[in-house]
Amino acid sequence: MHTNTFAGRMGRWSAQHRKTAIWGWIAFVVIAFVIGNAVGTQKPDHQDYVGPSGQATKLFDEHFPKKDDEQVIVQAGKGGHATDPAVRTAVDQTVAAVSGLPGVTDVQSPYAKGNEGQISKDGRSMLVQFSIRGDEDTTANRVDPTIAAVDKVKTANPAVFVGQFGGASAEKAIDQAQNEDSSKSMMLSLPATLAVLLVTFGALVAAGIPLLLGLTAVFATLGLVGPVSHLVPMDNTVTEVVLLVGLAVGVDYSLFYLRREREERARGAGKLEAVHIAAASSGRAVLIAGSTVIVAMAGMFFAGLSIFTALGLGAIMVVAVAMIGSVTVLPAVLASLGDRVDKGRIPLLHRLRRTDGDSRVWGWILDKVLKRPAVSAVVATALLVVMALPAFGMHTVLSGTDDYSRKLEVMQVYDRMQAAFPGGQIPAIVAVEAKDVTTPQIAAATKEMGDQAIATGEFNAPLSVDVSPDKHVALISIPMQGNGTDSASQQALAALRGGIVDDTVATAPGVEHAYVSGEAAGTKDFNDLLKSKAPIVFAFVLSLAFVLLLVTFRSIVIPIKAIVLNLLSVGASYGLLTWIFQDGRFQDQLGYTPNGGIASWLPIFLFVILFGLSMDYHVFILSRVREAFDRGMKTEDAVAHGIKATAGTVTSAAIVMVVVFATFATQSGIEMKELGVGLAAAILIDATIVRAVLLPAAMKLLGKWNWYLPRKLDWLPKVSHEPVAQPSAA
């Protein structure tokens, strides 16, 4: 079978130049991975300056020495007091242990004059405070000596509790936990994915091919992330996304390809002819689907935040690598193996395998749906709408300290500090800018601000003031009620921004700017930005997806229907996510503590990911439907044939994605749990209710209108949907 499509030509070239294609791919993966490790990954040197809280952060970055603040709590046992000799000894040893260590500065003993705020109100707990000089991305690497020194003090003083918490120590512990979580997810997803593929193909070799393509795509992209990060800095979250998306689409794309090749061989096509047909049909569908995913991911560039730019770029890279691999090296592998792809057969599983691509279960369901399309469409739509309803009450929050696992020792220390010094670890911070912030007028206004804030009952004493070396900026920390993301914190923030700051320090003589920052302020500013950017992201993704499908299928109805179905699918996943995590369901099973909302970055990220991935199935199914329609079948028959022929493949692909995504729900951080559950639920909904019920019902009801194209658009290029070649000798 000869075709003039790009996918067909690539498949034919790959099958004819097998060694070049296979060794070229291996060389590409190895070189990319080696170069990536050699150049390293450049992390962002600062956060996005979002809203007033971002301006406060910018002032801090520009006027204060680069450092991270650390605290050590020394706590007497029940009934004990800070004046006890054992407590005094532990405090003095802690001060001596950290003083003089490389990079350590500003060591503050609670016994020093003016540091009374470092002793808790009940007199049981004391704080030793110090700083570690350097950028945030380096202090975590240099905090080890202080941790080791504090651990020695802890061992030498068993009668009291000694623990360390701060920006650097927390980041180090959390990064280590995230790396362990990623490894665990990989170790869980690989055998589970292999098991699904074994059930799908019934043979070890066939099952191993999609898994190998997915893994090589991930490793190649992780290598490419290194040099690209020196242009667009990327953090650890990008690695998680590359693993999550790469393994899923890599396996799915090769699964689509391999199932079609096996199907054609079963019909009597020769070895090369089967590969050519798979390249011209499934290979072409992979290119269209992959391009749609890339278009969707590009929508994150319009979110206005560097984290979204990095996540979008990482996802685009791994999808592009997986897509290229599926149309280049995969045909070469299949042509080289031929029928040996069925080696390593699992007897029972291989006998259960259907070689014609049809699924008995989905075939039965489809017959029922097509028999009563109106009823099926109404029931399916109603079910999706009901699942989406909780999404109207979705509240988004930034990551807070409560989101991390309490199995981490550093978070257990934080909890003790928070109980002993309420609000001290998550204060509101007022950044004041002036030519000289140490004037008596500004000092008086600062005291007045503190008095008014504490009088509301939403803030706690004492205030702490940190002045920049050039005296241009003062950071005023006010311990606040709540955990930084809850309603109590937002209420306190509203009081501070709603008049207290404006009536005091903001209007003091010489003050140029006064910005309120902190965790609560950051959450509000981040949410406000995303609310303003979300319509732009949604419009971009929907518009380009519409154009791509319009050109591909030469129908104005197909893209409109696809967008509506995908929005229903995304809405249902939003609703389930809100119902589970925001409302606090399945806490014991999933191992999390509700934080009152959904991670701020997740709704936009989920939208672009889900919209792109669900298009994979849509394009794959519609390509078979259109192929049958172009051969002369009636629309109803083409729909039945296309969906029955692809149902088994789509089901297997969906199960693979659900398995991969669900493993992320086992991670310790609540954000990764939300991401894993949200993606897994959405793919499951999309592959069952949407693709197997709502799509065929809608197409049956629309009939010939499915292929309607206004005459004004007749100038669009005609894209050939390759017909299936006639069987020939092997």
Side-chain angles (χ1 to χ4, degrees):
M1 175 182 173
H2 294 281
T3 71
N4 291 319
T5 65
F6 176 76
R9 292 197 304 272
M10 285 302 301
R12 187 163 62 250
W13 178 90
S14 179
Q16 292 171 351
H17 303 83
R18 303 166 199 174
K19 289 185 178 180
T20 302
I22 293 173
W23 286 108
W25 177 258
I26 294 173
F28 163 67
V29 173
V30 172
I31 292 172
F33 194 70
V34 169
I35 291 177
N37 283 333
V39 303
T41 301
Q42 180 67 42
K43 293 185 178 181
D45 57 0
H46 64 78
Q47 299 176 346
D48 292 293
Y49 298 131
V50 178
S53 61
Q55 293 306 309
T57 303
K58 186 177 181 181
L59 288 176
F60 176 82
D61 290 343
E62 292 175 348
H63 293 272
F64 283 82
K66 303 296 184 182
K67 64 177 183 177
D68 257 322
D69 294 329
E70 292 287 314
Q71 296 176 320
V72 177
I73 184 172
V74 179
Q75 190 174 68
K78 291 183 178 180
H81 196 271
T83 57
D84 294 345
V87 177
R88 180 79 188 225
T89 299
V91 169
D92 290 342
Q93 288 182 2
T94 300
V95 172
V98 299
S99 297
L101 289 175
V104 174
T105 184
D106 299 329
V107 181
Q108 300 285 329
S109 169
Y111 296 118
K113 186 178 180 180
N115 292 345
E116 293 80 8
Q118 293 171 220
I119 303 175
S120 63
K121 289 182 178 180
D122 63 3
R124 182 185 165 199
S125 304
M126 309 187 78
L127 290 179
V128 176
Q129 299 178 338
F130 60 93
S131 300
I132 302 177
R133 290 191 298 266
D135 294 333
E136 289 183 1
D137 58 344
T138 62
T139 52
N141 297 327
R142 292 186 284 107
V143 75
D144 287 343
T146 68
I147 294 175
V150 172
D151 283 345
K152 287 182 180 179
V153 175
K154 180 179 180 179
T155 302
N157 296 273
V160 298
F161 177 85
V162 179
Q164 181 175 342
F165 175 87
S169 54
E171 181 183 351
K172 186 174 185 64
I174 291 168
D175 281 350
Q176 182 177 351
Q178 288 176 341
N179 291 334
E180 292 174 355
D181 284 342
S182 295
S183 299
K184 182 174 70 173
S185 295
M186 177 72 84
M187 293 302 101
L188 288 173
S189 62
L190 290 181
T193 300
L194 181 60
V196 174
L197 294 172
L198 282 173
V199 173
T200 301
F201 294 108
L204 283 170
V205 174
I209 291 173
L211 196 57
L212 282 175
L213 180 65
L215 285 174
T216 53
V218 167
F219 281 115
T221 306
L222 290 177
L224 295 175
V225 162
V228 172
S229 70
H230 289 270
L231 300 174
V232 180
M234 301 184 184
D235 61 14
N236 291 338
T237 310
V238 175
T239 301
E240 300 271 9
V241 169
V242 168
L243 172 62
L244 186 79
V245 176
L247 192 58
V249 300
V251 170
D252 274 12
Y253 291 166
S254 51
L255 192 151
F256 292 164
Y257 212 114
L258 185 54
R259 281 294 292 261
R260 184 61 185 266
E261 187 271 345
R262 291 288 82 197
E263 184 181 330
E264 297 304 326
R265 284 292 282 159
R267 288 176 176 166
K271 180 174 67 174
L272 292 180
E273 187 178 19
V275 173
H276 294 164
I277 294 172
S281 53
S282 292
R284 178 179 171 279
V286 164
L287 288 179
I288 297 170
S291 299
T292 308
V293 175
I294 289 173
V295 165
M297 304 298 181
M300 284 192 279
F301 296 157
F302 295 89
L305 293 167
S306 61
I307 179 61
F308 281 113
T309 300
L311 291 175
L313 193 56
I316 287 173
M317 288 167 60
V318 76
V319 170
V321 171
M323 183 173 64
I324 292 170
S326 66
V327 297
T328 55
V329 68
L330 193 56
V333 171
L334 295 181
S336 298
L337 289 174
D339 289 335
R340 287 178 296 172
V341 76
D342 284 329
K343 278 199 168 185
R345 294 179 178 179
I346 311 298
L348 178 61
L349 294 178
H350 198 269
R351 284 197 297 270
L352 293 174
R353 183 174 65 93
R354 294 290 299 270
T355 58
D356 57 3
D358 288 356
S359 167
R360 291 189 183 94
V361 174
W362 287 120
W364 180 84
I365 293 174
L366 185 62
D367 288 340
K368 301 296 182 183
V369 169
L370 293 178
K371 187 175 181 180
R372 294 181 176 83
V375 174
S376 300
V378 170
V379 171
T381 302
L383 183 58
L384 292 172
V385 169
V386 169
M387 285 192 285
L389 288 177
F392 290 99
M394 179 187 287
H395 174 62
T396 55
V397 296
L398 281 181
S399 295
T401 50
D402 288 347
D403 299 341
Y404 300 110
S405 172
R406 263 40 197 176
K407 293 180 181 179
L408 295 177
E409 183 179 354
V410 71
M411 298 315 302
Q412 295 172 11
V413 173
Y414 165 81
D415 288 339
R416 280 182 180 258
M417 287 185 180
Q418 185 64 16
F421 302 89
Q425 280 64 63
I426 45 172
I429 300 173
V430 181
V432 178
E433 183 181 14
K435 289 183 179 180
D436 184 357
V437 295
T438 63
T439 64
Q441 295 91 336
I442 294 178
T446 298
K447 182 179 183 304
E448 175 64 19
M449 179 184 68
D451 291 343
Q452 288 189 24
I454 295 170
T456 65
E458 294 166 349
F459 296 88
N460 305 313
L463 275 68
S464 63
V465 181
D466 195 3
V467 177
S468 64
D470 59 12
K471 297 185 179 181
H472 289 339
V473 177
L475 297 182
I476 308 164
S477 298
I478 315 176
M480 67 191 306
Q481 298 294 329
N483 60 14
T485 60
D486 58 7
S487 58
S489 297
Q490 291 301 317
Q491 186 173 335
L493 173 67
L496 202 59
R497 281 183 170 176
I500 294 177
V501 171
D502 290 340
D503 295 340
T504 54
V505 293
T507 55
V511 171
E512 298 174 8
H513 300 100
Y515 302 112
V516 180
S517 182
E519 193 168 312
T523 292
K524 185 180 187 307
D525 294 344
F526 197 90
N527 285 342
D528 289 345
L529 176 69
L530 291 188
K531 287 177 182 177
S532 68
K533 297 293 185 180
I536 300 174
V537 175
F538 278 51
F540 173 82
V541 173
L542 297 179
S543 299
L544 284 193
F546 177 86
V547 171
L548 188 60
L549 292 177
L550 174 66
V551 173
T552 300
F553 294 101
R554 283 182 58 81
S555 164
I556 197 171
V557 176
I558 291 293
I560 292 174
K561 183 166 80 275
I563 287 172
V564 171
L565 295 183
N566 284 354
L567 288 177
L568 283 172
S569 180
V570 170
S573 69
Y574 279 3
L576 286 177
L577 200 62
T578 304
W579 183 73
I580 293 173
F581 288 98
Q582 185 170 307
D583 296 344
R585 292 180 172 85
F586 306 113
Q587 295 179 48
D588 294 336
Q589 294 82 350
L590 292 172
Y592 75 96
T593 300
N595 60 4
I598 304 299
S600 293
W601 59 273
L602 203 54
I604 285 182
F605 183 75
L606 274 180
F607 170 74
V608 296
I609 291 282
L610 294 177
F611 195 89
L613 295 181
S614 62
M615 277 296 190
D616 282 356
Y617 304 145
H618 201 81
V619 170
F620 185 62
I621 292 170
L622 286 182
S623 293
R624 291 298 291 268
V625 173
R626 184 73 198 217
E627 182 183 310
F629 180 79
D630 288 346
R631 292 203 309 269
M633 281 190 184
K634 295 180 180 179
T635 296
E636 180 180 345
D637 295 335
V639 170
H641 168 77
I643 295 181
K644 286 181 179 180
T646 57
T649 305
V650 168
T651 300
S652 299
I655 293 174
V656 167
M657 280 199 180
V658 169
V659 165
V660 172
F661 295 152
T663 60
F664 278 72
T666 66
Q667 295 197 14
S668 56
I670 190 173
E671 290 190 351
M672 286 297 110
K673 290 181 186 293
E674 291 173 355
L675 178 62
V677 171
L679 287 172
I683 294 300
L684 190 61
I685 291 168
D686 192 80
T688 52
I689 300 173
V690 175
R691 304 303 156 197
V693 179
L694 196 50
L695 173 63
M699 293 194 77
K700 170 68 180 296
L701 291 171
L702 289 168
K704 290 184 177 181
W705 284 100
N706 283 289
W707 318 112
Y708 171 70
L709 183 71
R711 291 183 179 180
K712 292 182 179 180
L713 296 177
D714 199 47
W715 54 268
L716 289 172
K718 293 184 178 180
V719 181
S720 173
H721 292 261
E722 300 293 340
V724 178
Q726 295 299 317
S728 62

